[in-house]
Amino acid sequence: MVSCLVLAFAVVGLDKLQPIDEAPQDKQFLEFRTNMIAAIKKKNYSYVNSRIDEDVHWSFGGGEGRDSLLQRWKEESSIETFYDELLQVLKLGGQFGEYGEPGTKSFTAPYSFSAWPDEFDAYEYVVAVNKGVLVYAKPDTKSGQVGTLSYDIVKVSFANDYVDGWHEIELPNESGKTGWVERGPVRSPISYRAIFEKKRGSWYMVMFIAGD
């Protein structure tokens, strides 16, 4: 299941990153993604695994291989958490490009990674991936609401320690005022992302990684 953890941030002006999804440009890829999303929702993990490349890259430390990827998630978290993370990645659009051998078509997801503006430090900023993301007065969804975000690129605040699954945020254009936001509707560009590649006439996931 998706964690209820949250991130802290300070809103930066009117900078936004609107959702981008080029999947409809390729009918075969769109069908592949639709089938993957449906399979995860139905817990048809055997199908999902069949679309993960045997040599999938999953770690900057050299981790490769479908079996070792799945084993790592079983040991460090849970296999259900892996599929849930993959589902979020698949649902958040992305862009086509080239990865690996020249001329090989690929798709990178989510758009919050593939389209991230270079001027924003990936370690310091996150983006609201929904409209009307609520900002709360306290780390409690029952507290008063002090603002909303819609696709805003915002700065993470490290002023306070992590508190009970929440982080404090600095409200935009209101010096000294703060608020709180949950993790689900905001995303770091270096959260989990995936690269899908067309190989042997079919689409496969060839990378699933986080960090930088």
Side-chain angles (χ1 to χ4, degrees), residues 36-153:
M36 287 284 280
I37 290 174
I40 294 174
K41 289 181 176 179
K42 294 178 181 178
K43 300 186 183 300
N44 183 1
Y45 299 149
S46 61
Y47 174 82
V48 178
N49 294 348
S50 73
R51 311 310 293 177
I52 300 175
D53 191 72
E54 291 183 355
D55 298 320
V56 62
H57 182 63
W58 54 266
S59 168
F60 288 109
E64 294 184 353
R66 180 177 58 210
D67 292 343
S68 58
L69 166 66
L70 299 177
Q71 185 61 35
R72 176 241 182 181
W73 278 86
K74 288 178 182 178
E75 294 175 352
E76 296 185 8
S77 181
S78 72
I79 197 64
E80 288 77 15
T81 302
F82 163 70
Y83 294 117
D84 189 70
E85 289 283 356
L86 177 55
L87 178 61
Q88 305 314 309
V89 168
L90 288 164
K91 291 167 64 177
L92 282 175
Q95 296 174 287
F96 287 105
E98 290 189 3
Y99 172 79
E101 295 296 326
T104 301
K105 191 173 185 179
S106 68
F107 186 89
T108 299
Y111 78 92
S112 52
F113 170 76
S114 67
W116 188 256
D118 291 338
E119 59 266 33
F120 296 102
D121 190 316
Y123 286 98
E124 296 182 4
Y125 292 84
V126 294
V127 61
V129 295
N130 294 327
K131 291 182 179 179
V133 175
L134 298 178
V135 182
Y136 296 95
K138 298 179 180 180
D140 184 346
T141 57
K142 296 180 180 179
S143 68
Q145 297 168 13
V146 295
T148 59
L149 302 171
S150 294
Y151 309 126
D152 296 272
I153 295 176

Side-chain angles (χ1 to χ4, degrees), residues 7 85 89 110 113 183 186-193 209-211:
L7 294 172
E85 289 283 356
V89 168
F113 170 76
R183 176 187 178 187
V186 297
R187 192 171 184 89
S188 166
I190 54 175
S191 296
Y192 278 100
R193 63 268 192 188
I209 203 165

